[in-house]
Amino acid sequence: MADLLIELFSEEIPARMQARAGEDLKKRMTDGLVEAGLTYAGAHALTTPRRLTLAVEGLLDHSPTVREERKGPKVGAPEKAIEGFLRGAGLCRDQLEERDTAKGAVYFAIIEKPGRPAAEIIAEVLEDTIRNFPWPKSMRWGAGSLRWVRPLHSILCMLTREDGSEVVPLNIDGIKSGDATWGHRFMAPARISVTSFEDYAAKLKRAFVVLDPKEREAAIWQDATNQAFASGLEVVDDKGLLAEVAGLVEWPVVLMGSIDAEFLDLPPEVLQTSMKEHQKFFSVKNPKTGRIEKFITVANRETADNGATILAGNQKVLSARLADAKFFWENDLRIAKSEVGMEGWLESLGNVTFHNKLGTQAARIDRIAALAREIAPVVGADADLAEQAAKVAKADLSSEMVYEFPELQGLMGRYYAQAAGLPQEVANACQLHYSPLGPSDEVPTEPVSVAVALADKIDTLTGFWAIDEKPTGSKDPYALRRAALGVIRLVLENDVRFVLSSVIGNAVLSHDLALRFSNANSKQVPLKDVQVGKLDRTTAAELYIQALGTSDTEAAADEVVSKANDLLSFFHDRLKVFLRDQGIRHDVIDACIAMEGNDDLTLLVKRARALEAFMSSEDGENLLQGFKRANNILSQAEEKDGVEYSYGADKKFIEDAAEAALFDALAAGEGAISSAIEAEDFAAAMGGMAALRAPVDAFFEAVQVNSDNQVVRRNRLNLLSQIRKVCGQVADLSRIEG
């Protein structure tokens, strides 16, 4: 057994590429070694800005000898067939064996591939890995053909055993492998020879290189928080920035500097974003005031003046950056507080295209405002405030601050709305209407914010559905899956009750009509006329007649209704994913989606959760079996007889006590379950279902449905149809597996 050490030493690798590159090196090397017959005990990759390192433990010294037997053509087969078999096997004619088989004498080839030394295999796999490495971007330099993310300077590749170590010989475009590396670029640039991974890691540490990125992260965070704590401050947590900064340095030296007093009144988010994006600085805030007062920078070396010169340079550059941010902030505030206010920014959005088929941002804002007003009463919001909030929510897109820092959109809108003297609900909606952006993001709860957030996401979804730009496979360039999940979470977490199909149907219709308005032959239809009730084909056709000036609108009406229904199915698919993550089975969700009212997502989820709980119980499992048995017998009888048994049983034809008990239980259960469903008390409805378990079980144990007496048989089949009808009030149990 041996241990393998590989280091690929180059100019600085971009921080964002390092972690993926380390994993790619590990995967490609270990996959290649195993494929060649070299198994190993363990492997791990480490990265710094200038090196990719792979350590493989417990590697075989040789690949095993492989013996393969291949069946060839029959003895006496055409010569060309035999020659082709010999070429494929790499053998001569006299190396073949003749064997008798059930189909006659056949040639067999015994191919023995001797094992190879580990070093030989490693050299081949490493060269292939280096030449075909999957960098997102790579470059060529010098006269060679090799491409790498930055110029590759050296290759360390060696095998270590108990009796010593050896260099694995390799030469790629003049870069020869060896047993050497280099320490820190400035603090210890001398050549270092190593004998093993342990020797390599220890000598690098002495040469001011921390090899493990996680160790660098921990050191940065500990030193940064200690320095902040000593000043009564705290570092703003940012794991993404921490990982990036750890990828910029090999020997992290944490320095804390001050922000000039003239910038301390800038919004903390502006300071934090400016320092992070431009300088890769951590923000340090005063926990009592919430103000950002200092910054943390991480140098890549120790200096005689303990970083004073580095800090001075960084503070000078930071002041210039923050001066720009202050200018943007003050200029934007001046506009927001003017007579024109935020509405002035909206005019410029008329020149900003949202999508070439969906018009400008200004047109989109008008649609969202109309939709927010329609949704407002459903979520308990004031319609005027919801419309006002929707009209200004995206105004900050024209501000200088958001132009410089797009990630601050929404947040700056809140600041500017407050400065403009708009109601606080409107200001909050400016920030919150983008939420939730992900599965862990907080969901707005203020009614005005909920109305605008729903309108924003529904407009996006219906617009792209109207122009047939839907997600396909893994591609979702407009984040429509995320928008649908946002609608679902807004509805469920705020217990919103509304008919989703009506809202999306009207919105798809509005988009489709707007597209047709661009046609010279179409007529303008006021959008107020498009706000119809639940979308149906007849209403859509009437509006298309107005828009197109022709009665030939059936195809257009059918198409828009189809798109709306398809979008509702898309919502159901996203809801299934959302609920599966909460432990609700897909078949249970399907059984509830099959019911009327499936476009009321809150009601649908209440039904699904109650059904999941019931189906997880013993009563639920047994009743399901009884239902499926009844449904199967009934379906077969209806197919055979060519009639539908759905008229209910007549008690005067009942012959068995178990039959009578089931009849009574179904009569009582139908009313109880129906009342519970009407009251949306699904727990009570499931209780009514549970009461049917015993009489259904007893019926099938005591009664033969297919009686010789045809009157009794028909009556019993009608009784089975009553089971299907009563249980079908809760969900379509035929869709549940089991």
Side-chain angles (χ1 to χ4, degrees):
M1 293 289 185
D3 293 337
L4 171 64
L5 172 62
I6 296 171
E7 182 202 74
L8 306 177
F9 184 81
S10 68
E11 293 296 325
E12 274 73 4
I13 304 166
R16 68 183 184 279
M17 298 184 187
Q18 291 171 24
R20 175 65 183 272
E23 290 304 308
D24 285 338
L25 176 62
K26 175 182 171 181
K27 184 177 190 316
R28 286 177 172 256
M29 282 301 303
T30 55
D31 285 355
L33 294 174
V34 170
E35 187 176 342
L38 289 182
T39 57
Y40 61 96
H44 63 280
L46 299 166
T47 61
T48 79
R50 295 204 296 162
R51 66 198 83 220
L52 300 181
T53 300
L54 176 66
V56 182
E57 301 88 26
L59 190 69
L60 291 179
D61 288 320
H62 290 78
S63 62
T65 298
V66 178
R67 190 174 186 274
E68 179 187 355
E69 184 178 283
R70 293 186 190 175
K71 183 180 179 181
K74 291 182 179 181
V75 175
E79 197 64 27
K80 287 187 177 180
I82 298 173
E83 289 176 359
F85 177 64
L86 289 170
R87 282 196 300 273
L91 300 176
C92 301
R93 184 68 169 266
D94 58 3
Q95 292 176 294
L96 297 180
E97 292 183 8
E98 291 185 25
R99 297 182 192 172
D100 291 329
T101 68
K103 296 183 178 180
V106 174
Y107 286 118
F108 281 83
I110 308 301
I111 305 168
E112 190 169 285
K113 295 181 180 178
R116 300 164 60 201
E120 185 180 323
I121 295 172
I122 291 166
E124 290 178 2
V125 175
L126 182 54
E127 179 165 1
D128 179 73
T129 296
I130 292 173
R131 291 194 180 278
N132 298 288
F133 203 81
W135 292 110
K137 292 183 179 180
S138 58
M139 61 182 291
R140 285 192 303 167
W141 65 96
S145 60
L146 177 64
R147 300 186 68 89
W148 202 246
V149 63
R150 297 288 185 271
L152 183 64
H153 290 317
S154 71
I155 300 170
L156 185 157
C157 186
M158 58 191 308
L159 283 167
T160 303
R161 300 180 180 84
E162 290 184 1
D163 58 351
S165 59
E166 64 171 306
V167 171
V168 176
L170 184 67
N171 188 333
I172 301 178
D173 279 14
I175 305 173
K176 296 181 179 180
S177 59
D179 62 356
T181 185
W182 283 261
H184 192 280
R185 183 186 289 275
F186 306 112
M187 300 173 68
R191 183 178 183 275
I192 303 169
S193 294
V194 302
T195 58
S196 66
F197 175 76
E198 290 74 17
D199 184 46
Y200 167 79
K203 286 180 176 176
L204 279 180
K205 182 66 72 72
R206 290 196 293 272
F208 303 99
V209 174
V210 179
L211 189 58
D212 188 343
K214 294 301 179 185
E215 185 180 345
R216 296 197 299 275
E217 286 184 29
I220 291 169
W221 188 249
Q222 182 177 1
D223 204 358
T225 52
N226 286 345
Q227 289 191 35
F229 181 76
S231 299
L233 305 172
E234 60 185 36
V235 184
V236 176
D237 190 15
D238 192 328
K239 291 182 173 56
L241 179 60
L242 180 60
E244 184 176 7
V245 171
L248 297 174
V249 296
E250 290 193 321
W251 189 256
V253 177
V254 175
L255 304 169
M256 186 166 71
S258 298
I259 300 171
D260 290 347
E262 62 179 304
F263 304 122
L264 293 180
D265 289 331
L266 283 171
E269 297 89 353
V270 171
L271 285 170
Q272 186 177 348
T273 302
S274 180
M275 292 192 294
K276 173 182 177 178
E277 296 300 319
H278 291 149
Q279 306 299 122
K280 308 304 176 188
F281 290 171
F282 293 92
S283 297
V284 181
K285 70 178 181 180
N286 186 326
K288 296 178 181 178
T289 64
R291 290 203 316 177
I292 305 293
E293 297 182 355
K294 292 182 179 292
F295 67 89
I296 292 285
T297 185
V298 182
N300 191 32
R301 61 179 299 179
E302 296 173 359
T303 60
D305 62 359
N306 295 319
T309 303
I310 295 174
L311 264 183
N314 280 327
Q315 286 181 254
K316 185 176 181 180
V317 174
L318 177 61
S319 293
R321 291 289 189 187
L322 294 183
D324 290 341
K326 184 181 180 184
F327 172 79
F328 298 147
W329 168 245
E330 292 176 346
N331 196 45
D332 287 342
L333 278 182
R334 178 181 55 79
I335 294 172
K337 292 177 180 179
S338 68
E339 274 189 32
V340 177
M342 297 178 73
E343 285 76 9
W345 285 325
L346 296 176
E347 293 181 12
S348 62
L349 291 178
N351 299 317
V352 178
T353 299
F354 171 66
H355 186 280
N356 62 347
K357 292 182 180 180
L358 296 175
T360 64
Q361 282 284 8
R364 181 166 184 256
I365 288 169
D366 287 340
R367 294 194 304 267
I368 294 171
L371 193 52
R373 186 175 189 88
E374 181 182 347
I375 292 172
V378 179
V379 300
D382 180 274
D384 292 336
L385 283 179
E387 183 177 7
Q388 182 184 24
K391 284 183 176 179
V392 300
K394 297 187 183 297
D396 66 344
L397 295 176
S398 293
S399 69
E400 293 187 67
M401 186 67 79
V402 172
Y403 182 82
E404 181 71 13
F405 301 112
E407 59 270 34
L408 292 180
Q409 60 185 278
L411 174 68
M412 299 313 300
R414 190 197 78 201
Y415 280 116
Y416 299 145
Q418 289 171 331
L422 297 179
Q424 189 61 46
E425 299 97 319
V426 172
N428 292 343
C430 289
Q431 177 179 359
L432 298 175
H433 79 283
Y434 291 106
S435 299
L437 293 173
S440 59
D441 197 15
E442 289 189 9
V443 173
T445 56
E446 273 192 7
V448 171
S449 297
V450 173
V452 181
L454 282 170
D456 182 31
K457 293 167 178 58
I458 290 173
D459 178 78
T460 299
L461 288 158
T462 53
F464 284 108
W465 243 256
I467 62 173
D468 287 322
E469 291 278 358
K470 298 179 287 188
T472 56
S474 60
K475 294 183 179 180
D476 186 11
Y478 303 110
L480 300 182
R481 292 187 181 94
R482 186 176 69 185
L485 179 59
V487 171
I488 289 167
R489 292 189 62 203
L490 282 162
V491 168
L492 298 183
E493 295 184 31
N494 287 287
D495 200 26
V496 175
R497 301 295 303 276
F498 72 114
V499 180
L500 183 60
S501 61
S502 175
V503 176
I504 64 177
N506 290 332
V508 170
L509 180 57
S510 298
H511 280 292
D512 194 68
L513 286 168
L515 289 170
R516 295 177 188 277
F517 292 159
S518 62
N519 188 310
N521 297 323
S522 67
K523 298 178 181 179
Q524 178 71 37
V525 176
L527 283 180
K528 64 181 179 62
D529 292 339
V530 182
Q531 303 304 317
V532 295
K534 185 169 182 178
L535 182 67
D536 59 72
R537 188 174 174 279
T538 303
T539 306
E542 290 174 357
L543 288 164
Y544 278 114
I545 290 173
Q546 296 178 53
L548 304 177
T550 173
S551 60
D552 185 20
T553 59
E554 292 186 2
D558 286 341
E559 183 180 356
V560 77
V561 172
S562 174
K563 287 177 178 178
N565 290 337
D566 184 61
L567 179 52
L568 181 61
S569 296
F570 179 73
F571 272 107
H572 286 156
D573 288 341
R574 303 318 301 162
L575 179 64
K576 286 162 70 173
V577 173
F578 177 72
L579 292 179
R580 276 204 300 268
D581 290 341
Q582 297 184 8
I584 300 179
R585 290 161 29 193
H586 68 88
D587 54 338
V588 168
I589 305 168
D590 285 336
C592 296
I593 288 175
M595 303 301 292
E596 187 177 352
N598 63 10
D599 52 357
D600 182 339
L601 300 185
T602 299
L603 183 67
L604 174 58
V605 170
K606 286 181 180 178
R607 187 190 298 265
R609 285 177 175 153
L611 183 59
E612 172 70 27
F614 179 62
M615 285 299 149
S616 300
S617 69
E618 185 180 352
D619 283 340
E621 292 178 3
N622 288 342
L623 181 62
L624 177 63
Q625 298 308 315
F627 169 84
K628 286 185 174 292
R629 185 173 178 183
N631 193 49
N632 290 338
I633 294 171
L634 191 58
S635 299
Q636 291 169 7
E638 287 177 333
E639 183 178 358
K640 176 184 176 183
D641 300 344
V643 296
E644 181 180 334
Y645 294 102
S646 58
Y647 301 103
D650 191 330
K651 199 165 187 177
K652 67 183 179 182
F653 298 120
I654 288 177
E655 297 182 341
D656 190 279
E659 194 176 356
L662 178 59
F663 182 94
D664 293 338
L666 288 170
E670 181 175 11
I673 293 172
S674 177
S675 298
I677 294 292
E678 189 174 345
E680 298 180 7
D681 187 349
F682 294 107
M686 300 307 160
M689 293 263 284
L692 296 176
R693 174 207 165 173
V696 169
D697 288 349
F699 173 82
F700 282 116
E701 287 179 8
V703 176
Q704 179 181 347
V705 175
N706 289 312
S707 170
D708 293 336
N709 184 323
Q710 290 304 306
V711 174
V712 173
R713 174 179 177 270
R714 285 194 297 272
N715 197 59
R716 288 174 177 172
L717 288 171
N718 277 313
L719 189 59
L720 296 188
S721 77
Q722 196 67 12
I723 296 176
R724 184 164 63 183
K725 177 184 176 183
V726 172
C727 293
Q729 294 180 101
V730 174
D732 184 354
L733 299 187
S734 66
R735 296 176 181 265
I736 297 182
E737 299 172 0

